Amino acid sequence: MNVDLTGKVALVAGGTRGASRAIAVELGRAGAHVYVTGRTSGEHRSEVGRSETIEGTVELVERAGGSAVAVRVDHLDPDQVRSLAERVDAEHGRLDVLVDGIWGGDTHLGWEQPVWEHSLDASLRMVRLGIDAHLITSHFLLPLVLREPGGLVVELTDGTEEYNAKYREGTTLAFYVVKSAAHAFARGEAAETAEHGCTAVAFTPGWIRSEAMLDEFGVTEQNWRDALTAQPHFCISETPAFVGRTVAALAADPEKKRFSGQTLNSGQLAKIYEVDDVDGSRPDGWRYMREVADQGKPADPTGYR
């Protein structure tokens, strides 16, 4: 599929790192002008505490031949998001693609802690980051997406709707609620924007080799397979570029409305749009998790990438 977004205007909220950063890069590579927003910029750091910045994402977009601008925004602050919307309106008068990848809640995850043992402050913070910030963002930016038919809204999450239909054992209640909420966001936004010709979806990467994930395993993109000793099922992992390529292909699809209200995933879209990861494979991460990892089978990506 020819991914051409020339002349389109996109905004990636929370585009500092990981899947959101890669999506910004691939939207820019395809020709869209990209606004990259987030809390970590220059000397300012969010609670995530990592070194990646929104300016760093812009540099990657430009290195890929695209154009982008970094705007430091806390999407929990309605005034800041209102100002962002006013700026985009003044400069372009519309948004063609809105990707809401706001999160930053992993530092609050207390794995395998029931709600009565997990920090209440941490639980509420995850809800604020994963639900409140998304609602605030939609309130102010969706009107720009509705200016012209064909707009796209993408709510990033973790897990397909099928996978999240039951409790995610080993996580925490607040994390599970937040990530499941994206499915409802997609359904609700699809219903409310349908008459405007807008497409709204939720989207989940597979097991993504983000900056943080590579650091957690103590590997780099060049030697990531060394992590298989500790976690054999990491064999199904995918690069952030794979994630970005699938979302860019979706954004360029003139028939994307057929997906509105659904939760999509990178492996699924890769098949539809014939998108490959950087190594030429097509990881189907969530199908692998259901059929191999969750069934207690030995790690083997044969037939899944």
Side-chain angles (χ1 to χ4, degrees):
M1 179 178 180
N2 181 29
V3 180
D4 185 0
L5 296 172
T6 303
K8 301 297 185 180
V9 182
L11 190 150
V12 180
T16 314
R17 62 186 67 84
S20 298
R21 165 175 274 191
I23 292 169
V25 171
E26 296 306 321
L27 291 174
R29 190 192 306 276
H33 176 69
V34 187
Y35 289 86
V36 181
T37 71
R39 295 176 294 166
T40 301
S41 169
E43 298 302 315
H44 300 281
R45 289 289 181 272
S46 73
E47 64 218 70
V48 177
R50 292 189 57 84
S51 61
E52 297 89 9
T53 65
I54 53 177
E55 290 84 3
T57 301
V58 168
E59 290 178 9
L60 292 175
V61 173
E62 292 175 343
R63 205 176 300 166
S67 67
V69 60
V71 186
R72 185 172 183 269
V73 177
D74 182 346
H75 283 259
L76 278 171
D77 186 329
D79 289 337
Q80 291 187 35
V81 183
R82 181 188 295 107
S83 295
L84 171 65
E86 290 171 349
R87 172 173 174 174
V88 175
D89 191 9
E91 294 178 353
H92 293 279
R94 74 183 197 284
L95 263 180
D96 301 295
V97 181
L98 171 61
V99 178
D100 194 338
I102 300 162
W103 177 227
D106 287 348
T107 56
H108 303 293
L109 241 172
W111 293 98
E112 298 184 348
Q113 293 180 0
V115 64
W116 57 89
E117 293 180 3
H118 189 257
S119 162
L120 180 59
D121 287 343
S123 290
L124 293 176
R125 184 61 177 170
M126 282 193 282
V127 170
R128 287 278 284 154
L129 291 165
I131 297 180
D132 293 12
H134 284 243
L135 190 63
I136 292 167
T137 300
S138 294
H139 176 80
F140 289 108
L141 291 172
L142 262 179
L144 292 175
V145 183
L146 305 182
R147 289 279 174 83
E148 295 183 5
L152 173 66
V153 180
V154 180
E155 298 279 354
L156 260 62
T157 189
D158 184 333
T160 64
E161 191 162 19
E162 178 185 9
Y163 201 85
N164 287 337
K166 63 179 182 178
Y167 184 63
R168 295 275 294 276
E169 297 292 340
T171 60
T172 55
L173 181 57
F175 175 87
Y176 173 69
V177 168
V178 165
K179 295 307 179 182
S180 298
H183 313 312
F185 265 102
R187 288 192 297 271
E189 290 171 344
E192 294 186 351
T193 64
E195 65 182 280
H196 301 277
C198 180
T199 299
V201 301
F203 174 85
T204 177
W207 197 339
I208 185 173
R209 295 200 296 274
S210 64
E211 303 92 343
M213 185 59 65
L214 292 173
D215 286 350
E216 181 175 332
F217 282 118
V219 295
T220 66
E221 181 56 33
Q222 287 66 45
N223 70 340
W224 69 269
R225 291 183 181 278
D226 290 350
L228 302 188
T229 302
Q231 176 47 268
H233 290 301
F234 197 52
C235 63
I236 196 58
S237 64
E238 62 199 46
T239 69
F242 181 66
V243 178
R245 290 173 179 179
T246 59
V247 173
L250 173 67
D253 183 358
E255 304 298 327
K256 58 183 172 288
K257 192 72 168 64
R258 68 191 187 275
F259 297 120
S260 201
Q262 299 180 31
T263 297
L264 309 173
N265 66 81
S266 50
Q268 171 190 12
L269 292 184
K271 291 180 181 178
I272 294 171
Y273 298 121
E274 299 185 343
V275 172
D276 293 337
D277 206 339
V278 296
D279 63 357
S281 70
R282 292 180 186 170
D284 195 352
W286 288 104
R287 187 167 66 89
Y288 175 92
M289 293 303 293
R290 291 195 316 271
E291 298 178 4
V292 179
D294 290 353
Q295 300 303 316
K297 296 179 180 179
D300 182 0
T302 304
Y304 294 93
R305 61 177 315 139

